[in-house]
Amino acid sequence: MVDLDALKDRADAIVADHADDLVAASRRIHADPELAFAEGRAHDLLADLLEAAGLAVERGTGGVPTAFAARAGTSGPTVAVLCEYDALPGIGHACGHNIIGAAGVGAGIAAAALADEVGGRLLVLGTPAEEGGGGKVALAEAGAFEGVDAALMVHPAGLDLARITAIAIHQVQVTYHGRAAHAAAAPHLGRNALDAAVLGYQNVAALRQHIRPDERIHGIFTEAGTAPNVVPERASTFWYVRSPTVAGLAELKPRVLAALEAGAAATGCTVEHHWQDPAYADMVDNEAMIERYRRNLARSGRSLLEPSRDQAVVGSTDMGNISHLVPSIHPMIAVSPPDVAIHTVDFARFAGSDAGDRAVLDGARAMAATVLDLWAEPGALEAVRLEFEAKLASGRATGRATV
Ligand SMILES: [Zn+2]
Ligand SMILES: [Zn+2]
């Protein structure tokens, strides 16, 4: 019988041994933000750390140049720890993905050192482009999650939360085509694409009264004409369509599209749309994994809260897609006061602070301990698997990473 508590203490010690490197990596990535699919320096930095610790690292895995896969262990169940490291345009690491990357590497190094002794296999996966582009979906399509029994990551926030309130999202670009004309001399010859876009926008506004209260549709104008005295021949809008589940999203999308297209019909214009893949799925949290993460996080003196009406992080993530494919969790770890929201300049500051550094190390410890539970706690992985199979059977999980 393995002594899990003793193993977790050893994992803690390994994280402590690497603390300086992990914190330095978090700070370096934070100070040098790179956008989706261009995270070359963060990729190299994290891959180098894993390789130096003895993991076998495949750079550019799955045909994605800034993804990596690091492996350890030769037998037993496979647990994947996921790293993100992309930043946001204009506001740097305002989502704190530097912390996700460094914490994932810390957990990976600690668990890898114990993998052969415990009898587990570890995959540390570097997953680019969470903020747009869906690196995890590309990796899933390339087979990166085949044979993976469970997947986990941590994401910084203003609270230690058991889960993100992640709802499904698909983005759509809409372009209206009309006919240009002099707006004073010959307006009757024109067909106004801006009018079409405005009516489409207003139609969506009317639709909002009759969608579920937890659904969201929000759009902007990206092209609206060039001069007031020219009837706009072209106008464009860009929309995020969100619903709590992929099934709800599938019902909502045609209604949104009908509203947008009606603007063209009313004005004698034509319209084209382009759904931007991949769509992000909702998150199917594995409660058996969350329970273990909760206990393991408590070892660092943090208590994991459930989201409430006033305390929640609502958004969308490509980890949702993975959670439909393999048992997954996406807990949030506190780096800022609760009133500081992610995707703000304020939050970016906290992601590069001492509190951010503590989250790297506490997150690494809690994830490493959870990996050990899944490898070695009798019945743990079985409970995780049975829960996931029940969610597949009920349709709560789709079994696919693509929406
Ligand atoms: Zn994020
Ligand atoms: Zn984000």
Side-chain angles (χ1 to χ4, degrees), residues 56-227:
V57 181
E58 186 189 356
R59 294 163 194 255
T61 194
V64 182
T66 53
F68 62 80
R71 290 185 173 82
T74 51
S75 66
T78 301
V79 181
V81 176
L82 272 52
C83 299
E84 295 174 4
Y85 32 87
D86 60 324
L88 286 157
I91 48 175
H93 276 288
C95 209
H97 292 184
N98 56 302
I99 291 166
I100 304 176
V105 166
I109 289 172
L114 302 166
D116 281 329
E117 180 182 336
V118 179
R121 276 182 281 221
L122 180 74
L123 169 65
V124 184
L125 205 56
T127 66
E130 189 279 331
E131 295 291 358
K136 293 183 192 66
V137 182
L139 289 171
E141 285 175 342
F145 290 90
E146 278 166 24
V148 170
D149 294 289
L152 68 160
M153 58 176 284
V154 291
H155 193 298
L159 291 158
D160 292 305
L161 287 174
R163 64 198 80 228
I164 184 174
T165 307
I167 66 179
I169 182 173
H170 214 170
Q171 304 178 10
V172 64
Q173 297 268 11
V174 183
T175 303
Y176 298 89
H177 300 280
R179 191 190 311 143
H182 193 296
H188 56 287
L189 298 179
R191 298 291 180 266
N192 192 323
L194 177 58
D195 283 346
V198 169
L199 290 171
Y201 189 97
Q202 299 289 21
N203 291 340
V204 172
L207 173 65
R208 284 197 189 101
Q209 174 70 12
H210 303 288
I211 62 175
R212 294 164 46 103
D214 45 11
E215 292 179 327
R216 299 285 183 272
I217 313 165
H218 31 110
I220 58 168
F221 286 77
T222 51
E223 219 181 338
T226 50

Side-chain angles (χ1 to χ4, degrees), residues 382-402:
E382 184 65 7
V384 165
R385 193 175 3 236
L386 287 174
E387 179 185 333
F388 187 70
E389 281 168 5
K391 284 174 173 164
L392 283 175
S394 70
R396 181 67 194 86
T398 61
R400 296 189 312 275
T402 49

